[in-house]
Amino acid sequence: MPRGVKKENLPSKICVVCNRPFTWRKKWERCWDDVLCCSERCKNERKRNKRSADQKTCTEQGTGSSGAAGGSNPRVLPVNRRTVLSGMQLARRLKIF
């Protein structure tokens, strides 16, 4: 007696990035409801698009990367999540000490 489900009977979804259909995979067994993208490439593209949209809204609000280099207020640092300055580094950059 055959076990499992035939491939044509597996559930499928539409990728939110490329709008192509993709089917269930064994590695998505526990998180199928959370899966939105068909591949790592589409997942990375979605993140890249979201990041660029966030940057656009930051620059429209005036909190973008117009910091110490060319902004009107020299004490405003550019927003960059990757760079976390310590107290002394921040003081040196702001020329307090």
Side-chain angles (χ1 to χ4, degrees):
M1 190 162 146
R3 294 187 344 221
V5 180
K6 290 186 178 182
K7 288 188 178 183
E8 61 262 8
N9 296 332
L10 290 174
S12 65
K13 290 184 178 184
I14 303 293
C15 178
V16 296
V17 177
C18 64
N19 295 321
R20 293 180 183 164
F22 64 98
T23 56
W24 181 88
R25 293 183 188 173
K26 178 72 175 174
K27 72 181 208 176
W28 293 331
E29 185 174 26
R30 293 186 183 101
C31 61
W32 176 245
D33 294 333
D34 300 332
V35 175
L36 298 174
C37 301
C38 63
S39 63
E40 290 291 324
R41 181 178 179 179
C42 283
K43 184 172 78 172
N44 292 336
E45 183 68 25
R46 184 170 183 243
K47 285 181 183 178
R48 193 176 310 118
N49 289 341
K50 185 177 180 182
R51 198 175 313 128
S52 66
D54 287 345
Q55 287 177 351
K56 286 179 184 178
T57 57
C58 285
T59 55
E60 289 171 0
Q61 294 173 355
T63 60
S65 60
S66 63
S72 60
N73 187 353
R75 291 189 173 246
V76 176
L77 296 174
V79 177
N80 188 351
R81 290 183 213 141
R82 291 184 183 172
T83 307
V84 177
L85 300 177
S86 69
M88 286 304 293
Q89 288 174 328
L90 182 62
R92 268 191 241 119
R93 185 169 288 182
L94 296 177
K95 297 178 182 173
I96 294 173
F97 290 107

